[in-house]
């Protein structure tokens, strides 16, 4: 197939899902343009990738580079806010990796030619059915438009008015990578709050804290009386990335004509299972499987392949909120019961989610 006859795709959004979609489509023989409205795609704090996301990155040819850039999390200790151990999460070597989001995005970017991603370039879908996109003051037609423009997706808001809008989870989150390596990987569950501590390469640590309800008004000081090293690490944060978290009921029909929603634009979920990025990477690989090198796109097949997966993980992530960061004595009983259940059984549902393979 000559370059001039190759099918063309526009990807709106240069985050993890968008970059992965661009790589996957190019491997299927498509020409791709990625439009990203910010100045850089190599940004962010830390991130975790389970074996499902790593397997999908393997299809894209970047899994080894990502593993090299991260820390292999074979064991994560889960405690309550007083330091009492609740369980230990054991993972097979190479099946759970923590790394700086900057390094993940950099690995994805390096897998694309330099002219594919156009930063500081907002793009708008002006005709979802025909695949017409406006960017830089001009309109162009594409065989496929991939909307990977995040939870606040303007594409979804304009072209999927029937979809339920995003909801405020009542959770405020603070993320940062701080200097100094933590002694161990740890997740701390407490009343109305949660904190994650993950050692990264180069003597750094990814710290994630979240609180909900009235507790979130207290900011990071809410965690001052939690078990160390939580307050110690949080006090090292100079400029955290702060978000009031929202989630979204997965869009049941993510395809309209030549336009498809993927990643957070289609199924933004709470972060408790660490699967937001993993599902976006999955989306990109499965999308490419349904895009023929001739330019045909099996949109119905893509929707069938992803709908149940999105709904299952979103449901479990939402339910995890009450277990990890309870706001009343009844849900707080979970922290009393968790140590009574074998670690293998407690981790079974998370492992089943991570067992997905392309």
């Amino acid at each position: 197939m000559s370059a001039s006859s190759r099918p063309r795709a526009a990807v709106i959004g240069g985050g993890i899902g968008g970059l992965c979609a661009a790589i996957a489509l190019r491997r299927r023989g498509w020409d791709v343009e990625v439009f990203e409205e910010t100045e850089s795609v190599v940004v962010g704090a830390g991130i975790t990738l389970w074996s499902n996301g790593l397997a999908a990155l393997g299809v894209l040819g970047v899994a080894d580079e990502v593993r090299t850039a991260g820390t292999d999390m074979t064991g994560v200790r889960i405690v309550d806010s007083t330091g009492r151990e609740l369980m230990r999460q054991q993972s097979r070597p190479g099946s759970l990796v923590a790394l700086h989001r900057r390094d993940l995005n950099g690995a994805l970017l390096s897998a694309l030619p330099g002219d594919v991603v156009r930063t500081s370039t907002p793009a708008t879908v002006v005709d979802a059915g025909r695949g017409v996109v406006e960017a830089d003051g001009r309109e162009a037609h594409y065989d496929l438009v991939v909307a990977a423009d995040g939870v606040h997706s303007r594409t979804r808001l304009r072209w999927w008015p029937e979809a339920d809008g995003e909801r405020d989870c009542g959770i405020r989150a603070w993320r940062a990578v701080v200097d100094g390596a933590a002694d161990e990987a740890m997740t701390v569950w407490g009343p109305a709050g949660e904190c994650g501590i993950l050692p990264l390469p180069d003597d750094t640590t990814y710290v994630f804290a979240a609180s909900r309800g009235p507790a979130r008004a207290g900011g990071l000081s809410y965690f001052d009386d939690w078990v160390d090293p939580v307050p110690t690490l949080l006090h090292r944060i100079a400029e955290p990335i702060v978000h009031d978290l929202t989630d979204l009921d997965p869009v049941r029909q993510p395809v309209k004509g030549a336009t498809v929603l993927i990643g957070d634009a289609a199924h933004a979920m709470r972060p408790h299972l660490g699967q937001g990025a993993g599902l976006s990477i999955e989306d990109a690989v499965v999308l490419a499987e349904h895009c023929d090198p001739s330019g045909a796109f099996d949109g119905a097949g893509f929707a069938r392949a992803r709908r149940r997966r999105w709904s299952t993980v979103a449901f479990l992530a939402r339910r995890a909120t009450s277990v990890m960061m309870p706001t009343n004595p009844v849900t707080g009983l979970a922290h009393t019961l968790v140590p009574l259940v074998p670690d293998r059984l407690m981790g079974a549902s998370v492992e089943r989610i991570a067992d997905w393979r392309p």
Side-chain angles (χ1 to χ4, degrees):
M1 181 179 293
S2 67
S4 61
S5 62
R6 287 160 59 100
R8 299 173 65 231
V11 177
I12 301 178
I16 293 170
L19 294 177
C20 287
I23 297 168
L25 287 168
R26 283 182 53 82
R27 292 171 72 94
R28 288 286 282 172
W30 288 57
D31 287 334
V32 184
E33 287 183 278
V34 178
F35 300 99
E36 167 56 41
E37 65 182 6
T38 65
E39 294 181 1
S40 174
V41 301
V42 188
V43 294
I47 195 168
T48 56
L49 291 172
W50 289 81
S51 56
N52 54 305
L54 293 165
L57 288 175
V59 174
L60 304 181
V62 297
D64 289 343
E65 183 177 352
V66 168
R67 283 192 172 96
T68 300
T71 301
D72 194 355
M73 295 290 161
T74 54
V76 179
R77 195 159 65 95
I78 299 175
V79 303
D80 70 12
S81 58
T82 69
R84 181 173 62 103
E85 184 170 302
L86 302 178
M87 63 178 285
R88 287 179 181 263
Q89 178 183 291
Q90 301 294 330
S91 303
R92 297 183 303 276
S95 64
L96 175 59
V97 172
L99 73 162
H100 202 301
R101 186 181 292 259
R102 172 192 61 208
D103 294 329
L104 172 59
N105 287 7
L108 298 175
L109 197 61
S110 68
L112 292 167
D115 60 349
V116 168
V117 180
R118 299 172 57 186
T119 55
S120 300
T121 309
T124 302
V125 179
V126 297
D127 190 328
R130 295 177 50 241
V132 180
V133 172
E134 187 276 328
D136 268 350
R138 66 179 180 88
E139 291 187 1
H141 171 268
Y142 296 87
D143 299 286
L144 179 67
V145 178
V146 182
D149 47 349
V151 61
H152 307 302
S153 168
R154 290 193 295 267
T155 309
R156 185 189 69 244
L157 291 173
R158 178 173 181 178
W159 294 103
W160 275 261
E162 73 280 5
D164 291 335
E166 57 189 280
R167 290 184 300 256
D168 181 1
C169 300
I171 300 171
R172 182 165 296 156
W174 297 263
R175 299 181 178 91
V177 174
V178 299
D179 291 333
D183 293 333
E184 62 177 335
M186 166 186 268
T187 300
V188 186
W189 299 351
E194 174 194 11
C195 184
I197 299 167
L198 300 175
L200 298 182
D202 302 322
D203 194 34
T204 59
T205 300
Y206 170 43
V207 187
F208 167 90
S211 60
R212 66 179 181 136
R216 65 178 177 173
L220 290 177
S221 63
Y222 176 71
F223 302 93
D224 282 350
D225 61 351
W226 283 36
V227 63
D228 255 336
V230 170
T232 299
L233 290 173
L234 292 181
H235 287 161
R236 291 184 194 170
I237 299 176
E239 296 183 8
I241 298 172
V242 185
H243 289 112
D244 285 327
L245 302 183
T246 58
D247 65 1
L248 178 76
D249 283 335
V251 178
R252 288 191 53 79
Q253 300 294 341
V255 180
K256 288 202 173 181
T259 303
V260 56
L261 300 172
I262 69 167
D264 283 352
H267 52 74
M269 61 188 65
R270 303 184 186 196
H272 306 304
L273 301 180
Q275 282 292 349
L279 258 66
S280 294
I281 302 168
E282 290 180 20
D283 289 349
V285 170
V286 176
L287 175 67
E289 290 175 355
H290 290 82
C291 292
D292 191 88
S294 69
F297 170 48
D298 179 9
F302 172 78
R304 286 193 301 270
R306 300 306 290 159
R307 187 179 295 126
R308 183 182 294 274
R309 174 75 170 161
W310 293 347
S311 297
T312 299
V313 181
F315 173 84
L316 293 174
R318 194 170 290 166
R319 294 300 176 271
T321 301
S322 296
V323 175
M324 296 180 179
M325 43 198 311
T327 55
N328 61 66
V330 175
T331 54
L333 287 174
H335 291 185
T336 301
L337 300 175
V338 165
L340 305 178
V341 181
D343 292 350
R344 179 179 56 83
L345 294 180
M346 283 298 301
S349 60
V350 176
E351 291 175 0
R352 281 197 297 271
I353 293 171
D355 279 343
W356 180 95
R357 293 295 180 271

